DNA sequence: GAGGTTTTGTAAAGACCTTAATAAACTTCC
DNA sequence: GGAAGTTTATTAAGGTCTTTACAAAACCTC
């Protein structure tokens, strides 16, 4: 129930120019003929002409040389395209081991991508790397910090979306005491947002899917987090939505004081390998006996038919399914998509989870693996930054 | 990202008349002076005048006699108010034991309220009662079926929101084979929607709360259901969202083949009394030994300090908290509100649930009891019907 | 009953979109 | 190489709606 106010004729114009800009964006990065925009928007030629003129003046779109391809008679068309450099956005993924930065232009073209690892995950050291990565990315894109139109930073832990403060982040020592948000706000004059990494990964995964719907996107590695995306919008709740790592699974869970949640301690990557090691010791016939054990090895052994490994995988899948089943029943998501290090191991786990979930829920969701590579979180951060820019258009 | 199209000046007018109508509604049921509407909408006088003229002609608002109260000098103001009879809506709550109907006008005034019990919950019998209740409600309101602008029906079970078919409804035998939606569509010429009762109850509870936010509204009686309302909008997911009755709680759950879910069998009203009975047999010192045992008696005994009853209540609360904790972690709702028969028992249960949830979640939500009386579901149905009418305004 | 106040009503002006007609530029065919 | 044809841009006129400004009306108070 939007509360529109004070509608005059100028508002109409803004509405129409926005409509034209949307059409131009949908065609990005290809240039569009003006006549095509008329068809796409349903507006008339003079209106579109006026709007394009305004947009060019404001710097959002740019003219193209008419001396291009695909002429088939007639006066040469004026063609325009999104002027990406009008509002480039910066995405940042601050992980416990690596820091990555990316710069996209409005059209979604990647202008820069930088990745650097952090040796010691001490907060002060991380901050230094963050600054270095940003500087390198800006250099690569040939941009100044002033030209960036939006910044979104992904970080582990729970983030207060209002202030941008990090409330809880066990994986990086001292991270909560650093006001990352303020630190970056000084460097940029545009809005800076800090957001939970699993949430941003969810946004990236949702971007791969078309149409509305509910998505539960899980990031599964050493730690375990999730994001909820409903009809393309991220669901935050009171702020800590998606923290599945703190679900308490049935059965005993080892105590640790590293701030990890019960489910993380039960089926995080480390717990999986630990279970496999124990199983291998108890069952010398397993191939797990040979070679080093990591999650990839466990899943590979299970896929190859090793009964002991299969048992471990099934246990993990069951625990996971039991843990999220209540949430699946309440949310009734269209899909549960798993990303992160564990997901890369393969489809053995997937099948087991699907099986168990079908048993525990009424309308079992599709269970899939994220098709996105290592930069899922970064992609999500850039996506949110672009969305931000796009929503404050009329400014 | 709404895809606006073909915007001309007529659209502007529609926008403004809609804005004026909203303002009139917000003042309902009191009449509004025209000058006041100017302030409320931020539009100019001629615009408001034009809009009001159009709305009167369309029958949405009506003029008031100027010979009314509170004059303080000046030309007598033209006053208008929402013409409720323009679009009265019908709400229906088809429960396993009772059928209720209500008719509200646009201003939210209750024009009729009818409630009738059903002896045998056979589908054919229920349908007869439904028809009778509708007829009585229409008579009471002095309206014909043709004048109703929207109908929303609440029913237990899982409802396909597209077709309105009832997919799963164990509590009424033969209910799934009845196409309630088609049955009613023949009687009314307006849209008829069938919706899960817990979802509508959630909508009603959400109406009591102000502002945006996430709400998990639980209906807890013999059966157990919930609705999720996010920023005022009902969340459906793939259709069966909120079915917490089918969450599998830790521990053994008795098997039944009446279609109830595991959590319902574990902590539904019947299960609570059963647990209390067992506890009373084992502990003769409990006051539960005296008198008949129902949920109210159990909660009263616990509130009065009976240790055995308190133990039962705590067990129930723990099971409930454990069951919904994963959903609470994923959704991070602002509040969990409990309604239905069990909730009426008092605040003993509430305190226990709050305590256990605080232990199991990161950002514990407010836990409260629905302040709405028996007609929560009916209220929700009427609310959704009103929302429906309101959203198809520009037609 | 005169003055003041509050509100309604009306007319002119400005802004924007739309329709329609005209001009321009390029390709293709003869 | 010129004429016909096609596609597109430009310009002008017309209509609708909002805004601004001003006049009229009705009522209360002094």
């Amino acid at each position: 129930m939007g509360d529109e106010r004070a509608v005059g004729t100028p508002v109409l114009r803004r509405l129409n120019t926005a409509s034209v800009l949307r059409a131009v964006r949908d065609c990005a990065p290809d240039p569009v003929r003006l006549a095509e925009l008329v068809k796409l928007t349903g507006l008339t030629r003079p209106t579109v002409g006026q709007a394009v003129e305004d947009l060019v003046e404001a710097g959002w779109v740019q003219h193209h040389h008419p001396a291009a391809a695909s002429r088939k008679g007639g006066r040469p068309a004026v063609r325009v395209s999104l002027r990406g450099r009008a509002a480039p956005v910066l995405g940042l993924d601050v992980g416990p081991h690596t820091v990555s930065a990316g710069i996209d232009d409005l059209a979604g073209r990647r202008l820069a991508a930088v990745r650097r690892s952090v040796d010691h995950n001490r907060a002060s050291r991380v901050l230094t790397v963050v600054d270095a990565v940003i500087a390198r990315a800006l250099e690569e894109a040939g941009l100044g910090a002033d030209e960036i139109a939006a910044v979104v930073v992904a970080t582990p832990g729970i983030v207060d979306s209002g202030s941008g403060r990090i409330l809880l982040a066990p994986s990086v020592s001292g991270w909560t005491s650093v006001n990352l948000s303020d630190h970056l706000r000084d460097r940029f004059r545009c809005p800076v947002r800090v957001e939970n990494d699993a949430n941003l990964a969810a946004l990236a995964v949702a971007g791969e899917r078309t149409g509305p719907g509910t998505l539960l996107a899980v990031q599964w590695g050493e730690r375990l987090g999730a994001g909820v995306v409903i009809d393309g919008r991220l669901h935050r709740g009171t702020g800590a939505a998606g923290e599945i790592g703190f679900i308490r699974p049935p059965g005993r869970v080892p105590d640790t004081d590293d701030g990890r949640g019960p489910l993380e301690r039960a089926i995080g990557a480390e717990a999986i390998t630990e279970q496999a090691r124990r199983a291998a010791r108890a069952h010398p016939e397993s191939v797990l006996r040979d070679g080093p054990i990591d999650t990839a090895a466990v899943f590979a052994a299970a896929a190859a038919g090793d009964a002991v490994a299969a048992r471990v995988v099934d246990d993990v899948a069951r625990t996971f399914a039991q843990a999220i089943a209540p949430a699946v029943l309440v949310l009734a998501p269209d899909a549960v998509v798993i990303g992160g290090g564990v997901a890369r191991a393969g489809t053995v786990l997937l099948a087991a989870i699907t099986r168990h979930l079908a048993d525990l829920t009424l309308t079992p969701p599709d269970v899939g693996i994220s098709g996105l590579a290592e930069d899922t979180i970064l992609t999500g951060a850039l996506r949110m930054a672009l969305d931000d820019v796009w929503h404050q258009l009329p400014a």
Side-chain angles (χ1 to χ4, degrees), chain A:
Chain A
M1 271 163 262
D3 219 34
E4 276 96 331
R5 299 192 64 79
V7 175
T9 35
V11 173
L12 246 186
R13 186 171 203 162
R14 280 235 311 270
L15 242 57
N16 284 347
T17 48
S19 182
V20 169
L21 184 50
R22 254 199 302 272
V24 174
R25 179 198 56 168
D26 289 343
C27 297
D30 303 319
V32 209
R33 294 178 304 127
L34 227 60
E36 218 160 340
L37 286 176
V38 171
K39 259 190 229 156
L40 285 171
T41 57
L43 302 170
T44 57
R45 174 173 310 287
T47 306
V48 173
Q50 179 70 267
V52 165
E53 201 171 292
D54 288 357
L55 288 170
V56 168
E57 191 158 353
W60 287 99
V61 305
Q62 58 195 354
H63 284 286
H64 265 248
H65 298 293
S70 80
R71 293 274 184 70
K72 48 183 206 285
R75 179 171 174 168
V78 169
R79 299 182 315 150
V80 296
S81 70
L82 212 58
R83 184 164 162 274
R85 304 217 13 167
V89 298
L90 173 71
L92 216 59
D93 173 14
V94 182
H97 307 304
T98 58
V99 173
S100 344
I103 297 180
D104 273 13
D105 71 3
L106 259 187
R109 272 183 297 249
R110 187 65 47 97
L111 302 180
V114 179
R115 170 180 223 106
R116 198 161 296 181
S117 62
V118 187
D119 321 328
H120 314 292
N121 51 356
R122 284 202 334 271
S124 58
R125 177 86 185 111
V126 173
L127 263 194
T128 313
V129 175
V130 164
D131 286 343
V133 166
I134 290 176
R136 180 79 191 91
L138 286 172
E139 189 187 346
E140 204 170 284
L143 291 169
D146 290 352
E147 299 177 71
I148 299 294
V151 177
V152 172
V153 188
T155 170
I158 297 172
V159 181
D160 177 54
S161 58
S163 68
R165 292 195 72 104
I166 297 159
L167 302 177
L168 185 74
S171 52
V172 182
S173 64
W175 197 228
T176 50
S177 60
V178 174
N179 197 327
L180 184 62
S181 185
D182 284 352
H183 179 80
L184 292 174
R185 251 185 265 276
D186 289 346
R187 278 174 177 57
F188 300 94
R189 61 176 55 166
C190 62
V192 175
R193 280 169 67 168
V194 182
E195 184 64 67
N196 172 269
D197 53 1
N199 280 355
L200 291 174
L203 216 50
V205 171
E208 301 289 298
R209 302 174 63 87
T210 56
T214 306
L215 174 73
L216 180 66
V218 176
Q219 285 290 104
W220 192 345
E222 284 299 332
R223 310 215 51 186
L224 207 50
V228 178
V229 179
I230 300 174
D231 293 340
R233 276 193 304 274
L234 184 64
H235 174 80
R236 284 196 189 79
T238 55
E243 286 296 335
I244 62 171
F246 291 83
I247 294 176
R248 196 160 301 180
R252 265 279 153 79
V253 173
D255 272 338
T256 57
D257 56 353
D258 54 1
R260 288 190 302 166
L263 191 61
E264 296 174 312
R265 299 200 296 268
I267 57 169
E270 195 185 330
I272 294 175
T273 55
E274 181 54 37
Q275 277 184 47
R277 273 195 209 96
R278 268 208 304 275
R281 275 197 296 272
H283 299 274
E285 74 275 16
S286 166
V287 299
L288 287 179
R289 200 64 193 264
D290 317 326
I293 295 183
D294 59 7
T295 53
V298 178
F299 291 113
D306 184 81
V308 175
R311 175 72 174 275
V312 171
V313 170
D314 193 69
D315 276 353
V316 168
R318 179 157 31 77
T319 302
F320 178 77
Q322 285 173 340
I324 68 163
V328 169
L329 279 165
V330 168
L331 265 181
D334 296 86
V336 174
V337 175
I338 300 173
V342 168
R344 275 194 284 282
T347 57
V348 204
L349 184 65
L350 211 62
I353 290 173
T354 306
R355 185 157 32 82
H356 286 294
L357 262 189
D359 196 36
L360 292 167
T361 59
L362 290 171
T363 54
D366 285 343
V367 181
I369 280 183
S370 163
L372 292 162
E374 286 246 326
D375 56 354
T376 309
I377 296 172
L378 186 61
T379 303
L382 284 164
R383 193 184 141 85
M384 177 175 273
L386 279 174
D387 282 357
D388 274 2
V389 170
W390 214 250
H391 270 81
Q392 46 186 296
L393 262 191

